Amino acid sequence: MAYPTKPWTETDTGLDGFRLWPGLLDTDTQKALLHDVQTRVARAPFYQPATPGGRPFSVRMTNFGPLGWVSDKQGYRYQRNHPVMHQPWPDIPPLLLDLWRDLTGWPEPPDACLVNLYRDTARMGLHQDKDEADMGAPVLSISLGDTAVFRFGPAEGGGTRSVKLASGDVCALTGPARLARHGIDRLLVGSSTLVPQGGRINLTLRKAL
Ligand code: MD3
Ligand code: FE
């Protein structure tokens, strides 16, 4: 396996359980991962979800793995089929399963990989991830393409701060950080040429069930 080619240097995020490895994936690994994404997106295209209240997300989404996170009038949930294609989601790229095993040490593989596509002015408001059965399991996130301004703060109280997430950055959320409030304020459009037609792809590995 062609990763990582960089030392695993962790950056202090100031939030217990939020580990960030800037530039963990080198350019060749980012390209290989993007290719893994593109072959799967051909079968499970990005679609535009809506909130339970009917507001469209500015982020487009798809999923890999047995379960995928979806949102519509019925609410937020994990389901086995693509909501437009009505087919099972493609498998999670093996490179991501290796990353999960090596960085989280969690005894079971993830069963869900949400794929978010941000273009131009797409953003994601502050929220908590609470749709998973076992909140003790970690979350692992991989960024590709344009740099994003990521905002986060503790689950309750306290202020928020922001860090930039660039292409090849990987972060893990465990323990107290698992319920952190977080979101994407904006993209630095044009900061990367990795994603065709520009933008950012975020892959988030989770244990849904
Ligand atoms: C902190 N995605 O899909 S990834 C999401 O960049 C989501 O697309 C953002 O928030 C994105 O739910 C952020 C980093 C991330 C993912 C999950 C977290 C940060 C997290 C869960 C708990 C705390
Ligand atoms: Fe989230």
Side-chain angles (χ1 to χ4, degrees):
M1 190 59 60
Y3 95 93
T5 55
K6 302 253 185 81
W8 295 12
T9 315
E10 218 172 304
T11 282
D12 183 14
T13 63
L15 185 65
D16 192 31
F18 178 12
R19 310 170 71 193
L20 172 61
W21 297 274
L24 181 65
L25 305 182
D26 66 17
T27 307
D28 284 350
T29 308
Q30 292 172 40
K31 284 181 181 161
L33 180 55
L34 179 65
H35 181 262
D36 290 346
V37 170
Q38 287 169 322
T39 56
R40 288 164 176 78
V41 164
R43 280 185 289 138
F46 287 107
Y47 67 97
Q48 185 168 41
T51 65
R55 256 179 75 96
F57 281 79
S58 59
V59 178
R60 291 197 278 148
M61 297 180 180
T62 188
N63 290 271
F64 304 149
L67 292 161
W69 186 88
V70 299
S71 172
D72 60 22
K73 273 155 279 174
Q74 277 94 262
Y76 304 142
R77 66 192 175 278
Y78 283 92
Q79 68 177 40
R80 297 196 173 270
N81 290 337
H82 191 291
V84 179
M85 305 303 282
H86 306 292
Q87 294 290 321
W89 308 101
D91 65 324
I92 299 175
L95 190 147
L96 292 179
L97 297 176
D98 289 351
L99 259 188
W100 168 276
R101 184 197 57 219
D102 295 345
L103 294 178
T104 72
W106 194 252
E108 296 124 34
D111 54 16
C113 176
L114 175 61
V115 190
N116 291 328
L117 173 64
Y118 296 77
R119 290 214 146 109
D120 303 313
T121 57
R123 53 184 296 283
M124 189 177 284
L126 271 187
H127 66 278
Q128 294 172 293
D129 293 8
K130 295 201 277 199
D131 301 317
E132 297 74 34
D134 179 5
M135 301 299 293
V139 170
L140 191 74
S141 154
I142 298 95
S143 294
L144 293 175
D146 284 344
T147 298
V149 180
F150 175 71
R151 178 168 296 282
F152 66 96
E156 280 157 26
T160 59
R161 46 167 300 202
S162 69
V163 291
K164 285 177 183 166
L165 294 179
S167 197
D169 291 2
V170 178
C171 62
L173 297 306
T174 55
R178 183 62 183 77
L179 276 172
R181 290 174 296 140
H182 61 279
I184 296 291
D185 285 348
R186 64 189 180 92
L187 287 199
L188 306 186
V189 174
S191 49
S192 162
T193 56
L194 183 76
V195 174
Q197 298 164 68
R200 169 175 185 265
I201 292 174
N202 180 264
L203 300 141
T204 307
L205 298 166
R206 296 188 176 87
K207 281 295 281 187
L209 293 191

mmCIF file of all heavy atoms in Angstrom, residues 167-205:
data_model
loop_
_atom_site.group_PDB
_atom_site.id
_atom_site.type_symbol
_atom_site.label_atom_id
_atom_site.label_comp_id
_atom_site.label_asym_id
_atom_site.label_seq_id
_atom_site.Cartn_x
_atom_site.Cartn_y
_atom_site.Cartn_z
ATOM 1 N N SER A 167 -5.806 19.574 1.169
ATOM 2 C CA SER A 167 -5.785 18.288 0.478
ATOM 3 C C SER A 167 -4.732 17.374 1.097
ATOM 4 O O SER A 167 -3.579 17.780 1.291
ATOM 5 C CB SER A 167 -5.458 18.525 -1.003
ATOM 6 O OG SER A 167 -5.810 17.402 -1.770
ATOM 7 N N GLY A 168 -5.133 16.157 1.425
ATOM 8 C CA GLY A 168 -4.219 15.201 2.036
ATOM 9 C C GLY A 168 -4.218 15.222 3.546
ATOM 10 O O GLY A 168 -3.576 14.385 4.179
ATOM 11 N N ASP A 169 -4.929 16.182 4.144
ATOM 12 C CA ASP A 169 -5.040 16.227 5.606
ATOM 13 C C ASP A 169 -6.015 15.143 6.081
ATOM 14 O O ASP A 169 -7.034 14.879 5.432
ATOM 15 C CB ASP A 169 -5.561 17.584 6.095
ATOM 16 C CG ASP A 169 -4.572 18.723 5.887
ATOM 17 O OD1 ASP A 169 -3.473 18.479 5.332
ATOM 18 O OD2 ASP A 169 -4.907 19.858 6.283
ATOM 19 N N VAL A 170 -5.694 14.558 7.210
ATOM 20 C CA VAL A 170 -6.548 13.515 7.793
ATOM 21 C C VAL A 170 -6.807 13.884 9.247
ATOM 22 O O VAL A 170 -5.884 14.332 9.941
ATOM 23 C CB VAL A 170 -5.852 12.133 7.715
ATOM 24 C CG1 VAL A 170 -6.723 11.053 8.360
ATOM 25 C CG2 VAL A 170 -5.524 11.772 6.262
ATOM 26 N N CYS A 171 -8.065 13.739 9.699
ATOM 27 C CA CYS A 171 -8.305 13.956 11.125
ATOM 28 C C CYS A 171 -9.166 12.850 11.709
ATOM 29 O O CYS A 171 -9.961 12.219 11.016
ATOM 30 C CB CYS A 171 -8.866 15.345 11.410
ATOM 31 S SG CYS A 171 -10.436 15.720 10.690
ATOM 32 N N ALA A 172 -8.936 12.592 12.996
ATOM 33 C CA ALA A 172 -9.676 11.560 13.732
ATOM 34 C C ALA A 172 -10.355 12.210 14.921
ATOM 35 O O ALA A 172 -9.775 13.062 15.589
ATOM 36 C CB ALA A 172 -8.734 10.454 14.198
ATOM 37 N N LEU A 173 -11.591 11.799 15.168
ATOM 38 C CA LEU A 173 -12.387 12.326 16.281
ATOM 39 C C LEU A 173 -12.744 11.176 17.190
ATOM 40 O O LEU A 173 -13.420 10.244 16.765
ATOM 41 C CB LEU A 173 -13.665 12.973 15.767
ATOM 42 C CG LEU A 173 -13.596 14.205 14.864
ATOM 43 C CD1 LEU A 173 -12.770 15.307 15.506
ATOM 44 C CD2 LEU A 173 -13.105 13.913 13.472
ATOM 45 N N THR A 174 -12.290 11.247 18.433
ATOM 46 C CA THR A 174 -12.607 10.210 19.419
ATOM 47 C C THR A 174 -12.961 10.881 20.739
ATOM 48 O O THR A 174 -12.707 12.070 20.926
ATOM 49 C CB THR A 174 -11.396 9.276 19.657
ATOM 50 O OG1 THR A 174 -10.272 10.085 20.027
ATOM 51 C CG2 THR A 174 -11.048 8.475 18.413
ATOM 52 N N GLY A 175 -13.499 10.104 21.662
ATOM 53 C CA GLY A 175 -13.731 10.594 23.020
ATOM 54 C C GLY A 175 -14.541 11.881 23.032
ATOM 55 O O GLY A 175 -15.551 11.993 22.346
ATOM 56 N N PRO A 176 -14.086 12.877 23.810
ATOM 57 C CA PRO A 176 -14.854 14.124 23.944
ATOM 58 C C PRO A 176 -15.052 14.845 22.607
ATOM 59 O O PRO A 176 -16.073 15.522 22.418
ATOM 60 C CB PRO A 176 -14.009 14.991 24.882
ATOM 61 C CG PRO A 176 -12.840 14.190 25.308
ATOM 62 C CD PRO A 176 -12.840 12.886 24.599
ATOM 63 N N ALA A 177 -14.130 14.680 21.669
ATOM 64 C CA ALA A 177 -14.241 15.378 20.390
ATOM 65 C C ALA A 177 -15.299 14.760 19.482
ATOM 66 O O ALA A 177 -15.746 15.386 18.526
ATOM 67 C CB ALA A 177 -12.893 15.381 19.672
ATOM 68 N N ARG A 178 -15.720 13.543 19.813
ATOM 69 C CA ARG A 178 -16.696 12.855 18.959
ATOM 70 C C ARG A 178 -18.020 13.625 18.890
ATOM 71 O O ARG A 178 -18.730 13.543 17.899
ATOM 72 C CB ARG A 178 -16.894 11.429 19.498
ATOM 73 C CG ARG A 178 -17.819 10.542 18.696
ATOM 74 C CD ARG A 178 -17.316 10.302 17.295
ATOM 75 N NE ARG A 178 -18.289 9.493 16.554
ATOM 76 C CZ ARG A 178 -19.414 9.965 16.048
ATOM 77 N NH1 ARG A 178 -19.735 11.228 16.209
ATOM 78 N NH2 ARG A 178 -20.226 9.173 15.382
ATOM 79 N N LEU A 179 -18.344 14.350 19.973
ATOM 80 C CA LEU A 179 -19.590 15.128 19.977
ATOM 81 C C LEU A 179 -19.341 16.626 19.790
ATOM 82 O O LEU A 179 -20.228 17.451 20.043
ATOM 83 C CB LEU A 179 -20.375 14.858 21.266
ATOM 84 C CG LEU A 179 -21.238 13.597 21.209
ATOM 85 C CD1 LEU A 179 -21.829 13.276 22.574
ATOM 86 C CD2 LEU A 179 -22.350 13.724 20.168
ATOM 87 N N ALA A 180 -18.159 16.968 19.348
ATOM 88 C CA ALA A 180 -17.837 18.380 19.101
ATOM 89 C C ALA A 180 -18.793 18.980 18.070
ATOM 90 O O ALA A 180 -19.264 18.285 17.170
ATOM 91 C CB ALA A 180 -16.391 18.499 18.613
ATOM 92 N N ARG A 181 -19.073 20.278 18.228
ATOM 93 C CA ARG A 181 -19.792 21.004 17.180
ATOM 94 C C ARG A 181 -18.775 21.362 16.103
ATOM 95 O O ARG A 181 -17.643 21.740 16.414
ATOM 96 C CB ARG A 181 -20.421 22.274 17.758
ATOM 97 C CG ARG A 181 -21.584 21.991 18.711
ATOM 98 C CD ARG A 181 -22.091 23.261 19.377
ATOM 99 N NE ARG A 181 -21.052 23.834 20.220
ATOM 100 C CZ ARG A 181 -20.805 25.134 20.315
ATOM 101 N NH1 ARG A 181 -21.521 26.012 19.625
ATOM 102 N NH2 ARG A 181 -19.848 25.581 21.101
ATOM 103 N N HIS A 182 -19.191 21.235 14.850
ATOM 104 C CA HIS A 182 -18.230 21.473 13.771
ATOM 105 C C HIS A 182 -18.961 21.797 12.477
ATOM 106 O O HIS A 182 -20.140 21.453 12.319
ATOM 107 C CB HIS A 182 -17.328 20.252 13.583
ATOM 108 C CG HIS A 182 -18.084 19.004 13.219
ATOM 109 N ND1 HIS A 182 -18.737 18.227 14.152
ATOM 110 C CD2 HIS A 182 -18.344 18.433 12.020
ATOM 111 C CE1 HIS A 182 -19.335 17.222 13.540
ATOM 112 N NE2 HIS A 182 -19.119 17.329 12.238
ATOM 113 N N GLY A 183 -18.250 22.446 11.566
ATOM 114 C CA GLY A 183 -18.831 22.763 10.266
ATOM 115 C C GLY A 183 -17.775 23.325 9.341
ATOM 116 O O GLY A 183 -16.618 23.516 9.741
ATOM 117 N N ILE A 184 -18.178 23.556 8.109
ATOM 118 C CA ILE A 184 -17.274 24.135 7.108
ATOM 119 C C ILE A 184 -17.769 25.540 6.779
ATOM 120 O O ILE A 184 -18.872 25.704 6.235
ATOM 121 C CB ILE A 184 -17.233 23.261 5.833
ATOM 122 C CG1 ILE A 184 -16.659 21.869 6.134
ATOM 123 C CG2 ILE A 184 -16.449 23.967 4.719
ATOM 124 C CD1 ILE A 184 -15.182 21.828 6.479
ATOM 125 N N ASP A 185 -16.964 26.566 7.133
ATOM 126 C CA ASP A 185 -17.347 27.960 6.877
ATOM 127 C C ASP A 185 -17.287 28.302 5.393
ATOM 128 O O ASP A 185 -18.187 28.940 4.857
ATOM 129 C CB ASP A 185 -16.426 28.916 7.628
ATOM 130 C CG ASP A 185 -16.729 28.972 9.122
ATOM 131 O OD1 ASP A 185 -17.785 28.452 9.530
ATOM 132 O OD2 ASP A 185 -15.912 29.541 9.866
ATOM 133 N N ARG A 186 -16.188 27.922 4.762
ATOM 134 C CA ARG A 186 -16.045 28.259 3.349
ATOM 135 C C ARG A 186 -14.837 27.544 2.762
ATOM 136 O O ARG A 186 -14.005 27.003 3.477
ATOM 137 C CB ARG A 186 -15.880 29.772 3.167
ATOM 138 C CG ARG A 186 -14.625 30.331 3.792
ATOM 139 C CD ARG A 186 -14.623 31.859 3.777
ATOM 140 N NE ARG A 186 -13.399 32.371 4.379
ATOM 141 C CZ ARG A 186 -12.297 32.658 3.689
ATOM 142 N NH1 ARG A 186 -12.267 32.483 2.374
ATOM 143 N NH2 ARG A 186 -11.212 33.106 4.307
ATOM 144 N N LEU A 187 -14.771 27.575 1.436
ATOM 145 C CA LEU A 187 -13.638 27.025 0.687
ATOM 146 C C LEU A 187 -12.698 28.141 0.281
ATOM 147 O O LEU A 187 -13.135 29.272 0.047
ATOM 148 C CB LEU A 187 -14.103 26.396 -0.631
ATOM 149 C CG LEU A 187 -14.847 25.089 -0.692
ATOM 150 C CD1 LEU A 187 -14.727 24.536 -2.114
ATOM 151 C CD2 LEU A 187 -14.334 24.097 0.307
ATOM 152 N N LEU A 188 -11.427 27.804 0.176
ATOM 153 C CA LEU A 188 -10.483 28.708 -0.484
ATOM 154 C C LEU A 188 -10.432 28.246 -1.939
ATOM 155 O O LEU A 188 -9.658 27.362 -2.315
ATOM 156 C CB LEU A 188 -9.112 28.645 0.192
ATOM 157 C CG LEU A 188 -9.114 28.906 1.708
ATOM 158 C CD1 LEU A 188 -7.684 28.961 2.248
ATOM 159 C CD2 LEU A 188 -9.847 30.210 2.047
ATOM 160 N N VAL A 189 -11.335 28.835 -2.719
ATOM 161 C CA VAL A 189 -11.547 28.376 -4.093
ATOM 162 C C VAL A 189 -10.259 28.559 -4.906
ATOM 163 O O VAL A 189 -9.616 29.604 -4.843
ATOM 164 C CB VAL A 189 -12.712 29.156 -4.742
ATOM 165 C CG1 VAL A 189 -12.856 28.807 -6.220
ATOM 166 C CG2 VAL A 189 -14.022 28.863 -4.007
ATOM 167 N N GLY A 190 -9.879 27.507 -5.619
ATOM 168 C CA GLY A 190 -8.690 27.578 -6.465
ATOM 169 C C GLY A 190 -7.388 27.263 -5.744
ATOM 170 O O GLY A 190 -6.312 27.375 -6.328
ATOM 171 N N SER A 191 -7.473 26.842 -4.475
ATOM 172 C CA SER A 191 -6.236 26.553 -3.729
ATOM 173 C C SER A 191 -5.616 25.212 -4.121
ATOM 174 O O SER A 191 -4.473 24.930 -3.778
ATOM 175 C CB SER A 191 -6.500 26.607 -2.221
ATOM 176 O OG SER A 191 -7.649 25.858 -1.874
ATOM 177 N N SER A 192 -6.355 24.381 -4.835
ATOM 178 C CA SER A 192 -5.836 23.077 -5.274
ATOM 179 C C SER A 192 -6.331 22.797 -6.688
ATOM 180 O O SER A 192 -7.404 23.263 -7.078
ATOM 181 C CB SER A 192 -6.336 21.980 -4.337
ATOM 182 O OG SER A 192 -6.210 20.695 -4.917
ATOM 183 N N THR A 193 -5.557 22.014 -7.434
ATOM 184 C CA THR A 193 -5.984 21.620 -8.785
ATOM 185 C C THR A 193 -6.349 20.134 -8.824
ATOM 186 O O THR A 193 -6.582 19.586 -9.898
ATOM 187 C CB THR A 193 -4.867 21.888 -9.820
ATOM 188 O OG1 THR A 193 -3.679 21.201 -9.394
ATOM 189 C CG2 THR A 193 -4.578 23.375 -9.941
ATOM 190 N N LEU A 194 -6.402 19.500 -7.649
ATOM 191 C CA LEU A 194 -6.598 18.034 -7.638
ATOM 192 C C LEU A 194 -7.949 17.612 -8.218
ATOM 193 O O LEU A 194 -8.030 16.690 -9.028
ATOM 194 C CB LEU A 194 -6.465 17.494 -6.203
ATOM 195 C CG LEU A 194 -6.574 15.973 -6.081
ATOM 196 C CD1 LEU A 194 -5.283 15.293 -6.547
ATOM 197 C CD2 LEU A 194 -6.894 15.550 -4.656
ATOM 198 N N VAL A 195 -9.027 18.263 -7.767
ATOM 199 C CA VAL A 195 -10.373 17.835 -8.158
ATOM 200 C C VAL A 195 -10.748 18.479 -9.496
ATOM 201 O O VAL A 195 -10.713 19.698 -9.619
ATOM 202 C CB VAL A 195 -11.403 18.218 -7.074
ATOM 203 C CG1 VAL A 195 -12.825 17.920 -7.514
ATOM 204 C CG2 VAL A 195 -11.093 17.487 -5.761
ATOM 205 N N PRO A 196 -11.101 17.674 -10.506
ATOM 206 C CA PRO A 196 -11.488 18.235 -11.796
ATOM 207 C C PRO A 196 -12.661 19.213 -11.635
ATOM 208 O O PRO A 196 -13.600 18.933 -10.892
ATOM 209 C CB PRO A 196 -11.913 17.014 -12.619
ATOM 210 C CG PRO A 196 -11.241 15.850 -11.959
ATOM 211 C CD PRO A 196 -11.131 16.194 -10.512
ATOM 212 N N GLN A 197 -12.598 20.340 -12.311
ATOM 213 C CA GLN A 197 -13.581 21.426 -12.202
ATOM 214 C C GLN A 197 -13.547 22.117 -10.841
ATOM 215 O O GLN A 197 -14.418 22.927 -10.532
ATOM 216 C CB GLN A 197 -15.000 20.931 -12.505
ATOM 217 C CG GLN A 197 -15.155 20.386 -13.929
ATOM 218 C CD GLN A 197 -16.420 19.568 -14.080
ATOM 219 O OE1 GLN A 197 -17.507 20.111 -14.023
ATOM 220 N NE2 GLN A 197 -16.271 18.268 -14.270
ATOM 221 N N GLY A 198 -12.543 21.798 -10.040
ATOM 222 C CA GLY A 198 -12.335 22.498 -8.773
ATOM 223 C C GLY A 198 -13.225 22.006 -7.658
ATOM 224 O O GLY A 198 -14.157 21.235 -7.866
ATOM 225 N N GLY A 199 -12.919 22.445 -6.446
ATOM 226 C CA GLY A 199 -13.735 22.072 -5.302
ATOM 227 C C GLY A 199 -13.019 21.142 -4.344
ATOM 228 O O GLY A 199 -11.817 20.898 -4.456
ATOM 229 N N ARG A 200 -13.780 20.653 -3.399
ATOM 230 C CA ARG A 200 -13.236 19.828 -2.312
ATOM 231 C C ARG A 200 -14.096 18.597 -2.109
ATOM 232 O O ARG A 200 -15.329 18.686 -2.125
ATOM 233 C CB ARG A 200 -13.213 20.653 -1.024
ATOM 234 C CG ARG A 200 -12.924 19.876 0.235
ATOM 235 C CD ARG A 200 -12.792 20.801 1.435
ATOM 236 N NE ARG A 200 -12.394 20.068 2.622
ATOM 237 C CZ ARG A 200 -13.239 19.606 3.535
ATOM 238 N NH1 ARG A 200 -14.536 19.827 3.408
ATOM 239 N NH2 ARG A 200 -12.793 18.941 4.562
ATOM 240 N N ILE A 201 -13.444 17.473 -1.909
ATOM 241 C CA ILE A 201 -14.140 16.233 -1.554
ATOM 242 C C ILE A 201 -13.691 15.825 -0.160
ATOM 243 O O ILE A 201 -12.490 15.768 0.114
ATOM 244 C CB ILE A 201 -13.836 15.118 -2.580
ATOM 245 C CG1 ILE A 201 -14.466 15.467 -3.931
ATOM 246 C CG2 ILE A 201 -14.334 13.773 -2.074
ATOM 247 C CD1 ILE A 201 -14.104 14.512 -5.061
ATOM 248 N N ASN A 202 -14.651 15.596 0.723
ATOM 249 C CA ASN A 202 -14.342 15.101 2.055
ATOM 250 C C ASN A 202 -14.921 13.704 2.217
ATOM 251 O O ASN A 202 -16.091 13.461 1.871
ATOM 252 C CB ASN A 202 -14.903 16.029 3.136
ATOM 253 C CG ASN A 202 -14.586 15.515 4.525
ATOM 254 O OD1 ASN A 202 -15.401 14.845 5.154
ATOM 255 N ND2 ASN A 202 -13.386 15.784 4.999
ATOM 256 N N LEU A 203 -14.101 12.791 2.716
ATOM 257 C CA LEU A 203 -14.531 11.416 2.965
ATOM 258 C C LEU A 203 -14.555 11.198 4.468
ATOM 259 O O LEU A 203 -13.546 11.457 5.139
ATOM 260 C CB LEU A 203 -13.535 10.447 2.311
ATOM 261 C CG LEU A 203 -13.400 10.598 0.788
ATOM 262 C CD1 LEU A 203 -11.963 10.432 0.349
ATOM 263 C CD2 LEU A 203 -14.294 9.602 0.067
ATOM 264 N N THR A 204 -15.696 10.779 5.002
ATOM 265 C CA THR A 204 -15.800 10.576 6.447
ATOM 266 C C THR A 204 -16.187 9.131 6.732
ATOM 267 O O THR A 204 -17.260 8.678 6.326
ATOM 268 C CB THR A 204 -16.838 11.522 7.058
ATOM 269 O OG1 THR A 204 -16.526 12.851 6.661
ATOM 270 C CG2 THR A 204 -16.792 11.469 8.564
ATOM 271 N N LEU A 205 -15.283 8.429 7.422
ATOM 272 C CA LEU A 205 -15.506 7.022 7.770
ATOM 273 C C LEU A 205 -16.132 6.943 9.157
ATOM 274 O O LEU A 205 -15.673 7.611 10.091
ATOM 275 C CB LEU A 205 -14.173 6.271 7.781
ATOM 276 C CG LEU A 205 -13.428 6.227 6.449
ATOM 277 C CD1 LEU A 205 -12.004 5.763 6.664
ATOM 278 C CD2 LEU A 205 -14.142 5.326 5.471
#
